[in-house]
Amino acid sequence: MRIALLGPPGSGKGTQAQRICEAFDLVHLASGDILRAEKASGSPLGNQIRDFIDNGLLVPDDLMVELMRQKILDLKKGFVLDGFPRTLPQAQTLNRMLFEADRPLMLVLNFVVNPKALSRRFEGRRVCPVCLSVYHIDSLPPQNPGICDLDGAKLIIREDDRPEVVQKRIATYQETMAPLIAYYAQLGNFKTVDTSSSIDDVTHAVLEKIRRHFEDE
Ligand code: AMP
């Protein structure tokens, strides 16, 4: 299976991508995690992308494609793309690249979420700076408050989850996604899921959509 997830920040792409990968034995490739790791590494590319990420702006397409291309082409098994592509040029480049590798996307899932649910999610989101696991103080709390279950690191609020940056990220998403959604809708293998409900309910709906899609193939 080769799947891409579209959806605004906070729509649950990361959490659901992990669950999809567990259910179907796929690799999770999250562009935001890859960018944050690059930024933290202090590499020249990391320094180039720092200001974009910290201000909720999109990293330019050429840098983004450079960063993702090899990671995607190196994958030996099925995958879930989370956060990439995010613009029409990224989608077109990805399409060409996967077509040439004879591994086209098989399903694009578009996550939609109501604005009230969206703001609640950001307020409570916490992440582990070491293993990048994501928690939520209400809906997905760690066993010990403020501590990562997997490695015991102290959980943090992501720099770009600050309210003013979140507003910017959502506005950026809305501007850039309309042409992308139209592009995928016209290509086919495109489905929309409402991800406003609880994490488990959304997982159920998402896994059902995926199963049905692949049964119908
Ligand atoms: P995310 O964790 O997916 O919300 O991504 C965090 C930040 O990384 C975004 O606000 C952007 O600055 C950057 N980013 C992630 N994916 C992309 C992409 N496909 N294109 C451009 N910028 C991206």
Side-chain angles (χ1 to χ4, degrees):
M1 288 181 190
R2 293 178 295 277
I3 300 173
L5 305 183
L6 309 183
S11 60
K13 295 190 302 293
T15 306
Q16 299 302 333
Q18 278 174 10
R19 293 180 171 203
I20 297 169
C21 289
E22 279 162 25
F24 300 108
D25 189 25
L26 306 172
V27 177
H28 177 194
L29 222 50
S31 58
D33 290 347
I34 291 169
L35 288 167
R36 282 183 285 278
E38 192 70 38
K39 184 182 98 164
S41 78
S43 69
L45 184 57
N47 292 332
Q48 262 178 294
I49 61 183
R50 177 179 311 275
D51 281 349
F52 295 102
I53 301 174
D54 289 349
N55 292 298
L57 298 171
L58 288 182
V59 172
D61 288 335
D62 52 342
L63 291 182
M64 211 50 230
V65 168
E66 183 187 324
L67 204 66
M68 296 300 291
R69 177 189 298 277
Q70 213 47 49
K71 295 216 158 46
I72 295 173
L73 292 178
D74 282 349
L75 292 174
K76 295 284 175 280
K77 55 186 205 173
F79 56 77
V80 176
L81 296 181
D82 156 12
F84 181 86
R86 221 145 148 158
T87 66
L88 187 56
Q90 288 180 17
Q92 289 166 329
T93 307
L94 175 70
N95 206 26
R96 213 174 314 121
M97 174 174 118
L98 291 177
F99 183 77
E100 282 167 12
D102 204 16
R103 306 187 76 213
L105 282 180
M106 300 159 90
L107 175 62
V108 176
L109 271 182
N110 181 32
F111 284 12
V112 292
V113 59
N114 71 50
K116 223 165 155 192
L118 204 55
S119 46
R120 256 204 322 273
R121 286 180 190 177
F122 280 115
E123 285 159 16
R125 180 151 76 172
R126 301 290 181 270
V127 294
C128 171
V130 177
C131 70
L132 305 179
S133 295
V134 178
Y135 299 87
H136 191 282
I137 53 176
D138 303 322
S139 56
L140 198 63
Q143 279 161 12
N144 298 308
I147 303 293
C148 179
D149 292 347
L150 301 182
D151 53 32
K154 194 164 180 286
L155 300 180
I156 57 167
I157 298 177
R158 253 168 51 180
E159 181 67 17
D160 60 350
D161 275 353
R162 286 177 290 128
E164 64 278 18
V165 182
V166 165
Q167 290 316 317
K168 180 74 198 154
R169 286 165 64 202
I170 293 173
T172 304
Y173 176 83
Q174 274 152 358
E175 272 163 37
T176 51
M177 282 318 266
L180 190 54
I181 288 170
Y183 172 75
Y184 279 123
Q186 156 249 314
L187 280 185
N189 290 333
F190 176 83
K191 294 207 157 66
T192 292
V193 199
D194 188 325
T195 61
S196 308
S197 52
S198 74
I199 295 178
D200 287 344
D201 286 353
V202 172
T203 302
H204 184 73
V206 165
L207 296 184
E208 263 312 292
K209 271 234 162 155
I210 296 175
R211 281 198 193 99
R212 249 183 281 134
H213 178 78
F214 285 94
E215 275 165 18
D216 292 347
E217 285 266 288

